[in-house]
């Protein structure tokens, strides 16, 4: 993905559709919805790899839900070996806690309030999966 430098503030100007973002989470941050002419790189991307540092609780606050469309989504992965972090609504309510080594798919289902309504689908370590399916014929003569 190409980026450009804003000559008035020397910050990066992102495309409005940001595919990937790596975040070194050293404190509490609030994301913005991506727009073409903003001066921040802390935007909601389709895929976000987050590496939280050890220490005080870490959290990512999602932007105002009324400023985007229903269906806005992101996949957030916690790349830490031991440190979980929280994902919060714009009003500070907990959407989910993402444990170390886990990933969470988050999508917006209602944007009528600032907090919005979010659904989550978890991915992570130790999740049972189907690896094979067996079939037995009940009547071999058919």
């Amino acid at each position: 993905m190409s980026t450009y430098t804003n000559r008035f503030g020397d910050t990066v100007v992102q495309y409005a559709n940001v595919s990937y973002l790596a975040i070194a989470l050293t404190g509490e941050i609030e994301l913005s919805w991506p727009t073409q002419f903003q001066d921040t790189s802390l935007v909601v991307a389709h895929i976000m790899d987050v590496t939280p540092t050890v220490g005080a609780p870490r959290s990512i606050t999602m932007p105002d839900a009324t400023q985007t469309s229903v269906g806005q989504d992101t996949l957030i992965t916690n790349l830490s070996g031991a440190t979980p972090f929280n994902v919060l609504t714009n009003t500070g309510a907990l959407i989910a806690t993402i444990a170390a080594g886990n990933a969470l798919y988050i999508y917006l289902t209602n944007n009528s309030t600032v907090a919005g309504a979010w659904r989550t689908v978890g991915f992570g370590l130790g999740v049972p999966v189907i690896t094979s399916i067996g079939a037995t014929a009940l009547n071999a003569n058919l």
Side-chain angles (χ1 to χ4, degrees):
M1 176 181 79
S2 298
T3 58
Y4 303 94
T5 302
N6 177 347
R7 296 313 315 157
F8 298 105
D10 290 328
T11 55
V12 175
V13 177
Q14 304 282 358
Y15 280 116
N17 184 10
V18 181
S19 299
Y20 176 81
L21 180 65
I23 299 173
L25 189 60
T26 59
E28 316 278 318
I29 63 167
E30 183 173 340
L31 299 176
S32 299
W33 297 117
T35 61
Q36 289 180 320
F37 301 106
Q38 67 193 65
D39 289 343
T40 181
S41 60
L42 291 177
V43 297
V44 177
H46 290 290
I47 299 170
M48 295 189 290
D49 284 341
V50 179
T51 306
T53 58
V54 177
R58 306 289 183 223
S59 66
I60 294 175
T61 301
M62 298 300 284
D64 179 343
T66 63
Q67 297 177 354
T68 195
S69 302
V70 168
Q72 180 67 41
D73 63 339
T74 184
L75 175 64
I76 304 174
T77 303
N78 183 340
L79 299 179
S80 166
T83 306
F85 64 90
N86 294 324
V87 179
L88 308 174
T89 68
N90 195 262
T91 60
L94 180 68
I95 296 173
T97 298
I98 303 179
N102 288 353
L104 190 68
Y105 177 67
I106 300 172
Y107 60 99
L108 184 65
T109 60
N110 185 321
N111 65 348
S112 63
T113 65
V114 171
W118 300 86
R119 289 213 178 103
T120 62
V121 178
F123 305 90
L125 302 172
V127 176
V129 296
I130 298 172
T131 58
S132 65
I133 298 175
T136 304
L138 296 176
N139 187 342
N141 294 327
L142 293 178

